[in-house]
Amino acid sequence: MPKSATPTHCPYCALQCGMNLTVGPDAGVEVAERADFPVNRGALCAKGRTAPALLTSRLRLTSPLVRKGGKLEPAGWDEALDRIAGALDGARHKHGPDACAVFGGGGLTNEKAYALGKFARVVLGTSQIDYNGRFCMSSAAAAGTAAFGLDRGLPFPLEDVARTGCVILVGSNPAETMPPALRYFTELRENGGTLIVVDPRRTRTAEQADLHLAPRPGTDLALALGLLHLVVAEGRTDEAYIRERTTGWEEARAAAMAHWPEYVERVTGVPVPQLREAVRLFCAPESAMVLTARGPEQQAKGTDTVGAWINLCLATGRAGRPLSGYGCLTGQGNGQGGREHGQKADQLPGYRKLTDPAARRHVAEVWGVDPDSLPGPGRSAYELLDALGTDIRTLLVMGSNPVVSAPRAAHVEERLRALDFLAVCDVVLSETAELADVVLPVTQWAEETGTTTNLEGRVLLRRQAVAPPEGVRSDLEVLHELAARLGVEKGFPADPEEVFEELRRASAGGPADYSGITYRRLAEENGVFWPCPAPERPVGAATGDSTGTGARTGGSGFSAKGTPAEVHPGTPRMFLDRFATEDGRARFVPVSHRPSAEEPDEEYPLLLTTGRVLAQYQSGAQTRRVDELNAAAPGPFVELHPRLAARLGAAEGDPVAVVSRRGRATAPARISAGIRPDTVFMPFHWPGAGRANTVTNPALDPTSRMPEFKVCAVRVEPVDRDQPGAEVAVRA
Ligand SMILES: Nc1nc2c(c(=O)[nH]1)N[C@H]1C(S)=C(S)[C@@H](COP(=O)(O)OP(=O)(O)OC[C@H]3O[C@@H](n4cnc5c(=O)[nH]c(N)nc54)[C@H](O)[C@@H]3O)O[C@H]1N2
Ligand SMILES: Nc1nc2c(c(=O)[nH]1)N[C@H]1C(S)=C(S)[C@@H](COP(=O)(O)OP(=O)(O)OC[C@H]3O[C@@H](n4cnc5c(=O)[nH]c(N)nc54)[C@H](O)[C@@H]3O)O[C@H]1N2
Ligand code: SF4
Ligand SMILES: [Mo]
């Protein structure tokens, strides 16, 4: 008899690949292809394929842990929840509500992100909530909002990438970070389009490109301005488009013209003929796109940098037109939805602003509270972590592992230790959970239902496929229990669909309007693109076409709640008629190049940049506990150019130390001719001696508050294998 398959989605990245899960007779869970989901059409990377391993792993948590006599010991749920509620209550009474802080994650479902934001503002009354998405695509969000009035990662479906004329992919390595998406870039080239990759390393993605530009880390802003200068100088601007659909061109143009090609070559290291070739490839076809990811965004000038790339699109008429536009490839499973529903320091659900009186009134009404009781905006992620143990006395972490993933991580670890009380909800004993006073074990993706919003703005339904093991509870149950213990009995249901129904109302009329979306629709339509207002509301920001969003699968098993609202088709493509600004025009931003927060000097003559490898995910808390992935990527490394290696006398695999003003990380050398000789690269997935974030710079972008993960000044030293501290492979 065939086992029954549950269609659902991967727990990891923003592609949210569709997969079928089946439960075997021995309760083992298997992944099977799910060809009906259009984004990945059945393809999965090694992480998605092996994701079920953690469901049954002995390394997952199945009992709450409470610190007793300095050690984390198994305890009952009531005791653990009482301890957390007591600590939060004590802190707020003694020091005021802002003494309680909350740190969320972009991997949390929409329902969890929504409930967490509401918990902070309504139950704790604290302004001190932010999340790891601040470390992810916040610079792109800030720049997109400034230019278009609204930001949605990709304002078009990924399938459009295959049919445009040229794509400039800036600081993005989908060959390792979203392997099934690579197909769209291959198809682009098969269809006669061209691919330009901008990356200081010749990555597996760059190898597929027609043109690879390898700038010095931290100089993308100068590069984009240099290209715009050439566009103007060569008469390739689209004057009619600039006139009709934009404002602010004169100032932006004047700023760009100061960036002469020869100056840009000096700053970036990209030769002028390559700049000219890039302009030719980008401007020749009828349509083109610029897509950015963490390379240009994770800089202390990330917002201006993305703004400069958007200016290039606007000046050439390549935004808000079919098969043309600017897009950001979001990162985490719910990187998009996680930033829309209120776990960000300055946001309310529906992508509303916490400082907007009308937004406060609307959300307060849905929540049944006085608008004046809602706190104002709080600190950004790094600033919040930096303040732990000062005015912040207790912290609740849900869905992040900052001991490994935050910049200047040794300092962050010290701040976490300075708290009076730390509570962590996680599926495993992460490095952050190891420091906690109470750890709550929560259900994993396949054991619960919820929605995520992928990098295209497509809202998806992740369905429960298996029963959770005894001893674990869902994040929603945790918030329900904590709220009740803190005196709020109602408003925190543990049922995800009930939370979603409230989220629909809270988001109604906001920029990210989900009010026309129901679980039933999501199940039947394979996802719905926001904005999707309920029909009684005007479409508002929703413009553009509304082509079908996928095949109907029928028989969803979900109730017909909200049936009258099931009319708006959703918005796969945005901005085709107008941008979401007041006058409907896109806004140029006048920007100029500036150096990185830390430039090389005699003591620290090289640049460190950081990023990812295929087989590990983020802080590695999950993937380091999956044998197959650990075998494929067992530990950190320092990628360096053969000339630099020769100067250090380091051979392949020799331990080397990367030292900055913040600290020192040690890992084996990986010698590669594909990296610039002035730059070294480390993946950030490991704790311990090889932790890249011991070294990184927490300098923040003034607008997005994004830390400068992608560039800091370092020196590299050979390490004597026999010396203490020379350990090189760090495992879970
Ligand atoms: N395997 C795997 N996949 C993932 C993740 C993971 O941890 N592992 N995480 C997910 C998440 S949350 C995210 S945010 C995405 C990230 O996805 P990506 O942005 O593709 O990943 P990164 O490796 O951080 O950075 C991309 C590239 O930027 C380059 N780069 C470094 N400095 C600069 C610079 O100054 N300028 C430019 N132009 N490029 C630079 C790096 O060399 C790197 O190849 O991946 C998602 N997918
Ligand atoms: N040097 C450097 N540092 C970086 C980056 C970089 O490029 N370079 N990238 C940054 C980026 S883009 C990101 S997104 C961050 C990510 O960094 P982190 O925020 O540390 O991300 P994860 O490792 O995914 O952490 C998620 C944690 O939550 C747990 N978890 C998973 N699902 C759930 C759930 O549903 N509920 C609960 N309660 N827990 C869950 C996991 O087991 C894990 O411990 O790292 C940032 N740090
Ligand atoms: S690409 Fe992302 S969503 Fe797809 S299987 Fe891999 S980790 Fe999962
Ligand atoms: Mo991310």
Side-chain angles (χ1 to χ4, degrees):
M1 209 181 80
K3 296 172 274 189
S4 80
T6 308
T8 190
H9 296 273
C10 176
Y12 298 118
C13 86
L15 210 52
Q16 284 298 285
C17 293
M19 55 170 67
N20 280 322
L21 291 183
T22 57
V23 185
D26 56 352
V29 181
E30 281 166 33
V31 172
E33 187 174 297
R34 180 179 166 196
D36 71 318
F37 185 65
V39 180
N40 62 311
R41 286 185 233 150
L44 295 171
C45 81
K47 297 185 297 302
R49 201 168 30 72
T50 57
L54 202 56
L55 296 170
T56 47
S57 168
R58 60 180 176 80
L59 296 172
R60 80 173 290 183
L61 298 171
T62 52
S63 164
L65 302 173
V66 171
R67 194 168 293 280
K68 290 175 183 165
K71 276 181 66 184
L72 283 171
E73 305 278 1
W77 271 93
D78 279 331
E79 181 188 353
L81 289 163
D82 286 346
R83 281 279 291 268
I84 300 175
L88 290 166
D89 200 38
R92 68 179 175 178
H93 279 110
K94 195 158 164 211
H95 306 283
D98 278 356
C100 300
V102 175
F103 200 88
L108 300 178
T109 59
N110 289 312
E111 292 77 2
K112 295 178 185 186
Y114 173 85
L116 192 65
K118 182 179 176 186
F119 178 81
R121 273 111 187 190
V122 172
V123 178
L124 301 176
T126 181
S127 67
Q128 300 301 303
I129 173 170
D130 210 45
Y131 79 124
N132 67 8
R134 182 77 69 170
F135 296 161
C136 193
M137 60 321 98
S138 58
S139 293
T145 305
F148 307 127
L150 177 61
D151 110 274
R152 191 184 81 185
L154 297 180
F156 39 73
L158 205 47
E159 66 186 43
D160 285 8
V161 166
R163 296 185 293 133
T164 185
C166 174
V167 175
I168 309 185
L169 195 51
V170 192
S172 164
N173 184 13
E176 306 228 27
T177 55
M178 294 182 186
L182 208 60
R183 196 192 68 221
Y184 293 100
F185 297 96
T186 314
E187 283 174 16
L188 162 77
R189 299 190 64 222
E190 284 167 3
N191 292 338
T194 52
L195 175 64
I196 303 173
V197 170
V198 181
D199 196 307
R201 303 185 300 140
R202 189 168 176 81
T203 59
R204 279 153 62 184
T205 308
E207 278 168 8
Q208 318 254 325
D210 297 279
L211 178 63
H212 171 210
L213 309 180
R216 230 169 127 251
T219 63
D220 301 81
L221 179 49
L223 184 70
L225 289 163
L227 297 181
L228 185 51
H229 177 113
L230 282 171
V231 162
V232 175
E234 295 177 6
R236 294 179 186 267
T237 52
D238 185 337
E239 295 296 327
Y241 174 95
I242 293 174
R243 225 178 14 254
E244 286 156 27
R245 298 210 54 190
T246 72
T247 58
W249 171 230
E250 276 317 309
E251 295 79 1
R253 178 181 179 281
M257 292 319 281
H259 298 75
W260 291 88
E262 294 70 21
Y263 161 78
V264 171
E265 173 177 322
R266 257 197 331 274
V267 172
T268 63
V270 178
V272 174
Q274 285 188 8
L275 299 174
R276 289 192 191 280
E277 177 64 358
V279 167
R280 193 185 67 78
L281 293 177
F282 186 66
C283 293
E286 218 166 280
S287 56
M289 294 174 177
V290 172
L291 305 179
T292 65
R294 301 309 82 78
E297 298 168 15
Q298 289 175 327
Q299 299 184 16
K301 53 179 177 293
T303 305
D304 283 358
T305 300
V306 174
W309 287 102
I310 292 176
N311 286 353
L312 181 69
C313 291
L314 294 176
T316 52
R318 292 162 182 316
R321 280 180 166 175
L323 302 178
S324 277
Y326 162 77
C328 148
L329 299 161
T330 61
Q332 299 181 81
N334 196 26
Q336 183 65 45
R339 77 187 194 236
E340 297 162 0
H341 298 297
Q343 59 176 332
K344 194 164 173 231
D346 53 358
Q347 254 168 29
L348 287 171
Y351 227 153
R352 288 184 159 90
K353 283 204 171 67
L354 195 47
T355 46
D356 171 5
R360 294 169 69 89
R361 273 196 307 276
H362 173 85
V363 175
E365 199 194 318
V366 174
W367 287 351
V369 300
D370 178 356
D372 292 336
S373 73
L374 298 178
R379 292 180 175 95
S380 76
Y382 178 76
E383 291 165 294
L384 187 153
L385 295 171
D386 188 37
L388 301 179
T390 60
D391 51 322
I392 299 175
R393 307 306 315 172
T394 71
L395 175 68
L396 172 66
V397 177
M398 192 176 271
S400 182
N401 184 14
V403 166
V404 177
S405 58
R408 197 186 169 199
H411 172 72
V412 166
E413 204 177 324
E414 187 189 301
R415 296 326 307 158
L416 284 160
R417 289 181 198 278
L419 285 164
D420 296 338
F421 190 87
L422 172 64
V424 175
C425 301
D426 208 309
V427 300
V428 294
L429 192 65
S430 72
E431 288 70 23
T432 306
E434 279 175 22
L435 303 181
D437 297 285
V438 176
V439 183
L440 298 179
V442 293
T443 45
Q444 294 189 44
W445 102 110
E447 299 159 351
E448 56 186 23
T449 293
T451 63
T452 59
T453 306
N454 83 345
L455 76 175
E456 308 166 287
R458 191 192 300 252
V459 185
L460 303 164
L461 185 65
R462 268 203 209 147
R463 272 174 271 221
Q464 181 180 359
V466 295
E470 210 156 312
V472 305
R473 295 190 188 178
S474 75
D475 291 300
L476 291 178
E477 280 177 272
V478 167
L479 294 174
H480 171 84
E481 291 290 337
L482 289 176
R485 280 169 171 77
L486 290 162
V488 182
E489 299 283 344
K490 283 212 180 93
F492 291 88
D495 173 43
E497 194 176 4
E498 238 179 279
V499 178
F500 190 79
E501 286 299 310
E502 189 182 302
L503 181 159
R504 289 177 60 201
R505 286 190 287 124
S507 77
D513 192 331
Y514 282 40
S515 60
I517 304 176
T518 61
Y519 270 29
R520 182 176 167 151
R521 268 192 79 170
L522 293 178
E524 293 181 351
E525 295 177 34
N526 245 335
V528 177
F529 292 81
W530 71 257
C532 181
E536 63 269 22
R537 278 174 202 285
V539 174
T543 59
D545 84 5
S546 29
T547 53
T549 52
R552 295 207 157 231
T553 51
S556 69
F558 287 101
S559 62
K561 270 181 208 165
T563 305
E566 295 183 0
V567 177
H568 191 288
T571 314
R573 296 176 180 83
M574 302 169 85
F575 309 139
L576 291 181
D577 307 326
R578 64 192 310 275
F579 294 98
T581 52
E582 251 166 50
D583 59 6
R585 291 158 180 263
R587 294 180 289 240
F588 278 99
V589 280
V591 288
S592 295
H593 182 68
R594 59 179 188 272
S596 297
E598 213 174 54
E599 289 287 343
D601 54 21
E602 265 178 33
E603 211 181 335
Y604 302 100
L606 298 166
L607 291 172
L608 168 72
T609 193
T610 60
R612 298 161 163 81
V613 297
L614 200 163
Q616 297 289 353
Y617 189 70
Q618 314 277 60
S619 74
Q622 292 159 283
T623 47
R624 280 184 276 118
R625 290 173 168 87
V626 175
D627 290 342
E628 182 184 329
L629 300 177
N630 230 9
F637 57 86
V638 180
E639 185 177 310
L640 73 178
H641 191 271
R643 283 217 295 278
L644 176 59
R647 233 174 40 227
L648 295 169
E652 179 77 15
D654 282 354
V656 293
V658 177
V659 188
S660 77
R661 290 180 176 83
R662 271 84 38 207
R664 172 190 186 93
T666 316
R670 185 175 289 183
I671 299 170
S672 159
I675 189 166
R676 295 175 54 95
D678 57 4
T679 301
V680 296
F681 169 85
M682 287 187 80
F684 76 98
H685 311 293
W686 290 271
R691 180 174 66 183
N693 275 321
T694 305
V695 181
T696 52
N697 188 355
L700 301 181
D701 178 281
T703 309
S704 68
R705 319 307 283 168
M706 163 73 85
E708 191 144 75
F709 287 116
K710 286 293 188 268
V711 43
C712 72
V714 296
R715 65 170 179 269
V716 180
E717 298 170 348
V719 173
D720 186 344
R721 264 184 201 275
D722 305 323
Q723 251 176 27
E727 68 265 48
V728 288
V730 185
R731 288 169 195 250

